[in-house]
Amino acid sequence: MENYILPLLCLAAFFAGFIDAIVGGGGLIQTPMGLVLLPNLPVATVIGTLKIPAFSGTSIAAYQYLKKVSMNWKLLAIMMALALPSAFLGSTLLTYVSNDFMKPLLLVVLSFLVIYTYANKNFGQQKTKDTSATTQIWYAVSISFVIGLYDGFIGPGTGSFLVVAFIAIMGFDFLQASANAKMVNLATNFGSICLFFIKGKIIWSIALPMAASNAFGGFLGAKLAINKGNGFIRIFFLIVVIGTLTRFAYDVFFK
């Protein structure tokens, strides 16, 4: 590996951790950069290696959120417990089936998501639903299973999809949704890491320096999001979702 590759990967990991801590979507930076700079490695090895810095940055960001945002621990435990095996299942599926057929559908979904979030100025600005505990559990189970499966099978934009689900379905505001998304994303990352570790797809000499960089970015991003609040997170959310949309549009129309 050339000497300049690891510093570039660490730089990408820093910015990925920073963005991911605010509203998810760090994989839009880290994953393409990994695939470009490590072209001689199998895709599964690159993705498996990048899961380590993703987990590291999300851990640091989650810790920062937990110090400032009140959490429903019972609900969160249910979501994390289900998201982990769901992501493991998605990653297992990826080893047998290509995920390209999903990208046109996601392109449409993301387009509507950008339009709706931009048009609805109050989206995610305050808590909007007061559902029963039983209903919340059913919502949490559905979100965790579907998005956990998505993270293991496809990946990019998982944090953003979690934020949307928590706002639109659970009625959280952006700050609360981001805090919960970080914790569930921890579980989905760990589920995928378990599979890639078992299959020997992680290159630790690359993963660990990137993990330190991603963690530092996650620390700074979480601090900024907590200090700036819902309005700032909403703007950042739109930027990241548009970036995700652009990524899938490229995959659908130009690959």
Side-chain angles (χ1 to χ4, degrees), residues 167-220:
I167 293 171
I169 300 173
M170 306 287 281
F172 294 169
D173 61 29
F174 265 114
L175 191 59
Q176 192 179 17
S178 292
N180 279 273
K182 292 295 155 290
M183 296 300 291
V184 176
N185 211 177
L186 267 182
T188 61
N189 279 334
F190 188 71
S192 293
I193 286 171
C194 287
L195 176 79
F196 289 121
F197 179 76
I198 290 169
K199 290 186 172 291
K201 299 295 185 182
I202 299 173
I203 300 177
W204 294 100
S205 60
I206 296 174
L208 293 179
M210 289 185 70
S213 302
N214 197 297
F216 184 52
F219 172 80
L220 295 180

Side-chain angles (χ1 to χ4, degrees), residues 10-124:
C10 288
L11 185 63
F14 169 80
F15 284 109
F18 180 82
I19 291 172
D20 206 57
I22 298 172
V23 75
L28 295 172
I29 296 175
Q30 191 166 259
T31 303
M33 187 66 77
L35 293 171
V36 168
L37 293 176
L38 302 169
N40 297 323
L41 294 178
V43 172
T45 299
V46 175
I47 299 301
T49 300
L50 296 182
K51 284 292 181 180
I52 300 299
F55 182 82
S56 172
T58 303
S59 299
I60 298 298
Y63 176 71
Q64 297 302 315
Y65 277 109
L66 291 180
K67 293 193 296 184
K68 300 292 184 180
V69 181
S70 61
M71 310 290 283
N72 183 334
W73 288 103
K74 178 182 176 181
L75 196 65
L76 190 57
I78 293 171
M79 290 190 290
M80 293 180 71
L82 184 59
L84 192 156
S86 183
F88 185 94
L89 178 61
S91 292
T92 303
L93 187 62
L94 181 59
T95 62
Y96 296 102
V97 181
S98 171
N99 60 23
D100 288 343
F101 71 94
M102 286 290 295
K103 291 174 181 177
L105 174 62
L106 290 169
L107 188 62
V108 174
V109 171
L110 286 167
S111 298
F112 279 110
L113 183 58
V114 168
I115 294 169
Y116 179 80
T117 306
Y118 180 77
N120 187 354
K121 305 298 182 185
N122 293 322
F123 182 70

